[in-house]
């Protein structure tokens, strides 16, 4: 889960373009960074442990000029975050340099073969086999492109990689298998290759997405060539135009991307429903599903696959689709789904949910069923991403780029879309119109929740020193509890568990004492009385309780130590309001603990390896 960027052009912008690009990709990994650039016939290298800023400082200001450079920001998989293990990696003569995102699964085998041929290795990484293998095959090839192709055919696993050679200092060699890679085409004949369009957006909106088993040779001032390794053919692919701007990937006046993205929630719901819900006509239009509308009529089971926050959005979708559309739904963790042997009938649809569209486990789940003849649908935020292109049909979230590692607005967009999918698949239910109208009214209610941010911060401050936290909820409150616990875990490092409130007596209650607070989701629902009983069970063990409740609920103040209110809404839309409270609560706890909210330790935004 690293980020890679490369530039070649007439103008000596290589280093600044690569450094700015790496900074934009830091959400993908940030334990070390490095780059190399062509200068006077050689490749100059600089690698630093820590953030891209450390690399920028090391290069000094003004940074050296170069018309060709490649760089990398790392999330260690093989070998600890050290200067030696940082990328780029190189051959003995330092005439070939490589940056890589992904995992070379057969690296040990290749390393052994090359060691036997006298090659020596300096790092613990899987990636280092690539420059040595390029060195080996260059001696057996007409040119570097031929050697590059031969090497790619040796590699197993996942890669988005970039190579530079002193032999062709104005050319980028890039390849993709299972890790995202996009080529940016500039009007002055320059090229930028990156793991994500965010890294090149400041320079061009004209992009070409690479598919698996493809590589591109891009020489500045010449036409680029994409080749398909499997078919051994040239690939002619249209240039696409990016539909978002650089300011969408800047913090603006906010202290962190996370709080900016939380405050985007009202707009996120508006964008997720724009042109799709028509409350007056009482219809939901999902153009992205129209192409498979006939097949959808015969669907009698939906399996949702996803990871992390997207999985919890899927759990809310399960309740919605079953209740509104009457179609049985199963939600599977993508990393487990890949290795299960469950029967599939053609009347089952697989629905993949992903913010980044690049999560390896979710991609693997889609690959698993590609020959099952089942419909593969997607709810994806990143336009043009792998999952978006793998699925037969789907619905984009239109939430704009999400930069903070902790997913917030994407969850809001995903649940808004799943609500629309439930309505779209519904054959009519008494809940249809009220739910459609409520979805339309929700952005205003979310704004009301955001207005209570200060009160939420004051409550959050009281729980900064707690080491454990339990989140409980019933029905739609259950997946909300799971998501709330994940948010607190991943940015505050407090151990937090989400649990179905009804499960308390079957074990978790044993953990409860005055030092173990519980976050109870107690918004209006036909099960509220039962949730009250669960809260009283906790109170009986002196457990502190923080509750989210519906405005006007006075009774809860006698049960909970702290209460955060949301406006009245349907139970089916309550996860969208409750999520804002939990996101703000977690955010303020992490800020109070002075943690790096946007880049929590040990995590990365897009998990592109299994
Ligand atoms: C959530 O805050 C995390 N960043 C993580 O759990 C994330 O939801 C998960 O990795 C799935 O990512 P995706 O939606 O991009 O597939």
């Amino acid at each position: 889960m690293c980020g890679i960027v490369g530039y070649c052009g007439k103008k000596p912008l290589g280093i600044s373009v690569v450094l700015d690009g790496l900074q934009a990709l830091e959400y993908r990994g940030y334990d070390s960074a490095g780059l190399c650039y062509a200068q006077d016939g050689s490749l100059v290298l600089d690698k630093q442990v820590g953030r891209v800023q450390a690399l920028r400082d090391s290069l000094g200001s003004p940074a050296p000029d170069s018309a060709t450079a490649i760089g990398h920001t790392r999330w260690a998989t093989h070998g600890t975050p050290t200067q030696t293990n940082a990328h780029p990696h190189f051959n003995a003569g330092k005439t070939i340099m490589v940056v890589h995102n992904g995992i070379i699964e057969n690296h040990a085998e290749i390393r052994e073969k090359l060691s036997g041929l006298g090659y020596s290795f300096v790092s613990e990484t899987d990636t280092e086999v690539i420059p040595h293998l390029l060195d080996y095959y260059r001696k057996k090839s007409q040119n570097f492109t031929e050697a590059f192709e031969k090497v790619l055919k040796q590699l197993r696993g996942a890669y988005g990689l970039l190579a530079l050679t002193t032999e062709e200092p104005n050319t980028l060699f890039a390849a993709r298998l299972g890790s995202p890679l996009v080529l940016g085409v500039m009007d002055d004949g320059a090229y930028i290759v990156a793991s994500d369009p965010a890294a090149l957006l400041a320079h061009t909106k004209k992009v070409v997405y690479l598919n698996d088993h493809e590589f591109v040779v891009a020489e500045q001032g010449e036409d680029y060539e994409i080749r398909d390794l499997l078919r051994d053919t040239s690939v002619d692919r249209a240039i696409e135009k990016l539909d978002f701007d650089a300011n969408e990937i800047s913090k603006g006046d906010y202290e962190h991307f996370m709080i900016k993205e939380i405050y985007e929630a009202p707009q996120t719901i508006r964008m997720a429903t724009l042109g799709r819900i028509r409350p007056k006509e009482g219809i939901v239009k999902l153009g992205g599903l129209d192409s498979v509308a006939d097949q959808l009529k015969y669907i009698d089971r939906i399996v949702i696959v996803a990871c992390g926050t997207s999985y919890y959005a899927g759990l809310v979708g399960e309740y919605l689709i079953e209740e509104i559309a009457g179609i049985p739904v199963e939600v599977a963790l993508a990393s487990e789904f890949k290795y299960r042997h469950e029967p599939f009938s053609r009347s089952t649809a697989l629905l993949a949910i992903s913010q980044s569209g690049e999560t390896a486990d979710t991609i693997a789940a889609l690959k698993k069923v590609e020959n099952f003849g089942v419909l593969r649908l997607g709810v994806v935020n990143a336009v043009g991403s792998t999952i978006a292109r793998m699925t037969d049909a789907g619905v984009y979230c239109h939430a704009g780029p999400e930069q903070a590692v902790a997913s917030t607005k994407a969850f809001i967009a995903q649940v808004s879309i799943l609500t629309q999918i439930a309505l779209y698949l519904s054959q009519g239910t008494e809940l249809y119109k009220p739910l459609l109208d409520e979805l339309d009214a929700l952005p205003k209610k979310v704004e009301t929740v955001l207005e209570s941010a200060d009160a939420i911060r004051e409550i959050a401050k009281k729980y900064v020193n707690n080491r454990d936290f339990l989140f409980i909820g019933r029905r739609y409150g259950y997946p909300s509890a799971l998501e709330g616990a994940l948010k607190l875990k991943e940015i505050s490092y407090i151990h937090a568990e989400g649990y179905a409130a009804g499960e308390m007596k079957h074990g978790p209650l044993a953990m409860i004492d005055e030092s173990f607070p519980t976050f109870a989701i107690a918004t209006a629902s036909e099960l509220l009385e039962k949730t009250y009983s669960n809260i009283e069970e906790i109170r009986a063990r002196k457990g502190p309780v923080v509750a989210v409740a519906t405005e006007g609920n006075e009774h809860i103040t006698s049960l909970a130590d702290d209460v955060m209110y949301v406006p009245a809404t349907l139970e089916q839309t309550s996860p969208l309001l409750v999520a804002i409270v939990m996101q703000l609560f977690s955010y303020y706890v992490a800020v109070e603990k002075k943690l790096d909210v946007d880049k929590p330790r040990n995590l990365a935004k897009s998990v592109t390896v299994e």
Side-chain angles (χ1 to χ4, degrees):
M1 286 162 301
C2 310
I4 66 175
V5 185
Y7 167 91
C8 67
K10 278 204 197 69
K11 300 189 186 116
L13 301 172
I15 294 170
S16 57
V17 168
V18 167
L19 283 173
D20 296 348
L22 291 179
Q23 211 114 39
L25 295 184
E26 256 190 341
Y27 68 84
R28 302 176 62 84
Y30 32 85
D31 58 40
S32 52
L35 65 73
C36 72
Y37 54 94
Q39 198 169 59
D40 309 331
S42 66
L43 295 175
V44 183
L45 181 66
D46 194 327
K47 310 201 271 186
Q48 301 299 324
V49 173
R51 300 291 164 81
V52 174
Q53 191 54 46
L55 182 61
R56 206 184 273 281
D57 298 344
S58 159
L59 285 160
S61 175
D65 279 348
S66 173
T68 310
I70 60 174
H72 183 274
T73 180
R74 186 171 188 234
W75 193 89
T77 55
H78 293 68
T80 51
T82 63
Q83 206 169 16
T84 308
N85 288 335
H87 298 211
H89 290 286
F90 44 83
N91 65 336
K94 292 196 174 166
T95 57
I96 299 170
M97 301 241 177
V98 171
V99 292
H100 164 230
N101 166 34
I103 291 179
I104 305 301
E105 286 168 3
N106 59 339
H107 71 98
E109 195 187 308
I110 298 172
R111 183 182 277 243
E112 197 181 328
K113 185 180 126 196
L114 289 169
S115 303
L117 295 166
Y119 283 86
S120 54
F121 289 77
V122 295
S123 79
E124 304 161 280
T125 68
D126 55 324
T127 303
E128 193 188 345
V129 296
I130 304 173
H132 294 304
L133 213 47
L134 282 167
D135 182 282
Y136 172 75
Y137 277 104
R138 181 64 195 90
K139 298 183 181 107
K140 300 172 185 306
S141 308
Q142 299 304 314
N143 54 45
F144 193 82
T145 302
E146 191 187 315
F148 191 62
E149 190 163 352
K150 285 179 181 161
V151 166
L152 295 176
K153 289 181 175 161
Q154 302 291 316
L155 304 179
R156 283 205 314 280
Y159 57 73
L161 65 87
L162 268 165
L164 262 190
T165 169
T166 52
E167 204 184 316
E168 300 186 45
N170 305 317
T171 306
L172 296 176
F173 296 84
R176 170 220 152 114
L177 176 62
S179 287
L181 214 55
V182 59
L183 171 73
V185 181
M186 297 174 66
D187 295 336
D188 64 355
Y191 295 108
I192 303 176
V193 173
S195 303
D196 179 315
L200 48 81
L201 185 62
H203 308 285
T204 180
K205 286 194 169 192
K206 296 196 306 187
V207 296
V208 181
Y209 291 95
L210 266 68
N211 287 342
D212 280 352
H213 306 290
E214 290 181 351
F215 72 93
V216 62
V217 178
E219 181 180 359
Q220 65 98 358
E222 303 296 326
D223 287 344
Y224 61 87
E225 186 192 6
I226 299 178
R227 291 193 59 76
D228 181 313
L229 269 176
L230 300 182
R231 296 189 190 84
D232 196 15
T233 56
S234 202
V235 175
D236 186 11
R237 178 154 312 121
I239 291 179
E240 298 177 44
K241 193 154 180 306
L242 295 173
D243 66 352
F244 58 89
D245 299 312
N247 67 359
E248 288 183 67
I249 55 173
S250 78
K251 271 186 275 194
D253 304 337
Y254 290 91
E255 192 187 347
H256 298 103
F257 280 110
M258 184 175 177
I259 191 69
K260 172 182 177 260
E261 289 157 4
I262 293 174
Y263 271 85
E264 286 178 19
Q267 184 56 12
T268 297
I269 298 176
R270 290 194 189 93
M271 291 305 293
T273 55
L274 189 67
R276 293 168 171 169
I277 60 170
R278 313 229 175 119
K280 295 201 180 56
E281 300 149 63
I283 61 166
V284 172
K285 212 175 158 4
L286 296 174
L289 296 181
D290 284 350
S291 60
V292 294
D294 291 344
Q295 282 158 283
L296 282 171
K297 291 197 186 87
Y298 301 99
I299 294 301
D300 60 10
R301 178 172 169 243
I302 295 176
V303 176
I304 295 177
V305 286
C307 305
T309 286
S310 297
Y311 170 79
Y312 297 137
L315 285 176
V316 179
E318 178 180 35
Y319 284 89
L320 286 162
I321 294 170
E322 289 186 343
E323 183 169 21
I324 309 297
I327 299 173
V329 174
E330 182 204 323
V331 189
L333 283 167
S335 54
E336 283 300 311
F337 176 82
K338 178 176 181 187
Y339 300 102
R340 276 175 49 194
H341 301 287
E342 77 282 68
F344 255 87
S345 75
R346 285 171 180 266
S347 58
T348 297
L350 190 87
L351 173 57
I353 304 176
S354 177
Q355 186 289 122
S356 62
E358 301 296 350
T359 301
D361 289 322
T362 309
I363 291 172
L366 282 165
K367 277 211 178 102
K368 171 185 162 182
V369 302
E370 70 186 334
N371 302 320
F372 287 21
V374 299
L375 196 54
R376 298 188 300 173
L377 305 172
V379 171
V380 176
N381 190 37
V383 175
S385 58
T386 304
I387 292 174
R389 287 181 285 125
M390 282 177 84
T391 41
D392 306 311
V395 185
Y396 275 128
C397 293
H398 296 319
E402 188 175 65
Q403 301 280 320
V405 167
S407 184
T408 53
K409 64 175 181 177
F411 178 80
I412 300 295
Q414 289 161 348
V415 173
S416 305
I417 302 252
L418 290 164
T419 309
Q420 293 171 77
I421 290 177
L423 291 166
Y424 179 88
L425 296 172
S426 165
Q427 305 303 320
T429 157
E430 65 190 38
L431 255 176
Y432 188 98
K433 192 73 174 72
L435 186 53
L436 187 56
D437 294 342
E438 186 62 11
L439 199 51
D440 189 42
L442 221 58
K444 275 253 158 302
K445 297 188 177 182
V446 170
E447 280 160 11
T448 307
V449 178
L450 291 169
E451 283 153 18
S452 66
D454 292 348
I456 294 172
R457 179 176 36 224
E458 292 318 307
I459 292 173
K461 283 183 180 170
K462 294 166 64 175
Y463 296 92
V464 169
N465 299 320
N466 285 94
R467 293 170 51 80
D468 306 286
F469 235 108
L470 195 65
F471 285 68
I472 60 170
R474 282 179 178 271
R475 244 165 67 102
Y476 288 87
Y478 170 45
S480 291
L482 295 170
E483 171 55 12
L486 176 62
K487 278 294 98 57
L488 189 64
K489 262 187 282 232
E490 64 179 321
I491 62 169
S492 76
Y493 315 153
I494 292 174
H495 160 241
E497 263 188 86
Y499 245 86
E503 272 296 289
M504 288 287 295
K505 295 188 281 301
H506 306 288
L509 202 54
M511 299 187 297
I512 299 300
D513 61 23
E514 48 281 312
S515 71
F516 201 131
T518 297
F519 199 111
I521 295 161
T523 45
S525 114
E526 60 194 58
L527 301 175
L528 187 52
E529 300 290 320
K530 296 187 183 312
T531 302
Y532 287 158
S533 316
N534 296 123
I535 293 175
E536 285 170 8
E537 287 157 10
I538 293 165
R539 305 292 301 172
R541 278 83 186 170
K542 302 194 172 33
V545 174
V546 190
V548 183
T550 302
E551 271 166 15
N553 179 341
E554 293 306 318
H555 176 62
I556 190 77
T557 57
S558 64
L559 293 176
D561 300 273
D562 293 291
V563 182
M564 295 168 279
Y565 286 101
V566 297
T569 186
L570 298 175
E571 189 188 349
Q572 291 74 15
T573 44
S574 62
L576 289 163
L577 299 183
V578 169
I580 307 294
V581 173
M582 298 190 300
Q583 291 168 1
L584 286 169
F585 181 84
S586 305
Y587 172 76
Y588 290 127
V589 169
V591 167
E592 202 62 27
K593 293 181 76 171
K594 302 198 174 8
L595 297 171
D596 188 336
V597 172
D598 283 342
K599 297 189 175 73
R601 68 186 183 196
N602 307 338
L603 295 182
K605 180 72 184 165
S606 172
V607 185
T608 54
V609 289
E610 273 197 43

